[in-house]
Amino acid sequence: MNQGTFVVLASGRGSNFQAIIDRVHEGSINAVCTGLITDNPDAYAIKRAEDAGIPAEVVPYRTFPDKIKYEDALMAVLARYNPDLVVLAGYMRLLGERIVDAYTGKMINIHPSLLPAFQGLHAQRQALMYGTKVAGCTVHFVTHDMDAGPVIIQRTVPVLDDDDEESLADRILVEEHQAYSEAIKLFFEKRLRIEGRRVRILPDS
Ligand code: GRF
């Protein structure tokens, strides 16, 4: 049987990318990661891709005259890979509608909060400033609105009295790595069904 394929878009450290490809290598995700795409030539994720023997494509945002030209180039790279799934893992740019529309139901993102709380940047800082007692992460399908697509998986962590942004982010990150791999596994098992805003997780057959 042909295995499904996915590409990862990451802008920086790439610890989620690493966790995902580790699960692929262990055999717990039945799919192939065919490429890493980054907008940032200095992303540490590139080194992780090289170490794993995965092609890394740099589409350097800053060298394009405008966002339209950048997205033309990104679309062309994506089309060349023609993945079954696009995984945004710490990809720090808002994708335009053209790209989102091309991958409806086939593009997922992870966000370090329990959405719909604390969308956008510095979600962990927002949780601390608000004073929530619980924080967490959300894996969701990507739609036109930022951090607002149908939710696939959420995982929670406690917020401790002496937390700072870094300690909370570290605690959430452990859950991110698990949640993201689980969501990708379910996607390739064809167990995610989008019903309006809700994502039904079908039983293992
Ligand atoms: C993660 O916290 C993710 O939720 C957010 O950006 C961070 C990326 O971390 N979107 P990494 O690059 O995967 O280590």
Side-chain angles (χ1 to χ4, degrees):
M1 202 177 81
N2 278 347
Q3 272 188 313
T5 65
F6 67 96
V7 297
V8 174
L9 267 66
S11 300
R13 175 178 62 178
S15 73
N16 277 287
F17 170 53
Q18 185 72 56
I20 293 161
I21 57 180
D22 288 349
R23 296 294 89 70
V24 170
H25 289 151
E26 281 166 22
S28 49
I29 296 174
N30 185 20
V32 183
C33 180
T34 50
L36 168 82
I37 304 174
T38 183
D39 55 315
N40 172 14
D42 300 321
Y44 187 68
I46 297 170
K47 162 104 173 54
R48 297 182 191 271
E50 285 167 359
D51 289 349
I54 294 170
E57 303 269 353
V58 184
V59 185
Y61 181 81
R62 287 181 201 291
T63 65
F64 291 88
D66 55 37
K67 188 170 174 185
I68 294 176
K69 292 273 185 313
Y70 165 73
E71 291 204 340
D72 286 345
L74 181 57
M75 285 278 269
V77 173
L78 280 168
R80 178 150 49 78
Y81 280 87
N82 190 26
D84 297 308
L85 179 68
V86 177
V87 174
L88 309 184
Y91 177 71
M92 299 310 285
R93 301 195 177 277
L94 205 54
L95 288 171
E97 295 194 354
R98 260 187 319 155
I99 298 192
V100 173
D101 287 343
Y103 293 93
T104 305
K106 297 171 64 176
M107 182 183 282
I108 59 178
N109 181 44
I110 191 159
H111 184 73
S113 79
L114 297 172
L115 291 172
F118 313 134
Q119 298 166 329
L121 291 175
H122 308 302
Q124 303 94 334
R125 188 187 304 170
Q126 293 185 57
L128 284 173
M129 287 179 68
Y130 194 90
T132 60
K133 300 295 184 190
V134 184
C137 62
T138 304
V139 183
H140 63 91
F141 283 103
V142 175
T143 54
H144 290 171
D145 296 324
M146 184 183 63
D147 300 331
V151 170
I152 302 168
I153 291 182
Q154 292 185 303
R155 290 175 76 107
T156 61
V157 300
V159 180
L160 305 181
D161 286 346
D162 57 359
D163 266 335
D164 58 18
E165 204 176 330
E166 193 183 340
S167 63
L168 180 59
D170 286 348
R171 193 174 308 116
I172 294 172
L173 197 62
V174 174
E175 303 304 317
E176 290 188 40
H177 294 166
Q178 304 228 9
Y180 222 176
S181 297
E182 179 65 14
I184 294 167
K185 177 176 187 288
L186 291 169
F187 180 90
F188 283 105
E189 290 173 351
K190 301 198 181 339
R191 290 173 59 197
L192 301 179
R193 186 193 293 158
I194 303 175
E195 297 178 352
R197 275 219 51 88
R198 300 182 73 177
V199 179
R200 186 183 295 275
I201 298 182
L202 304 176
D204 202 357
S205 56

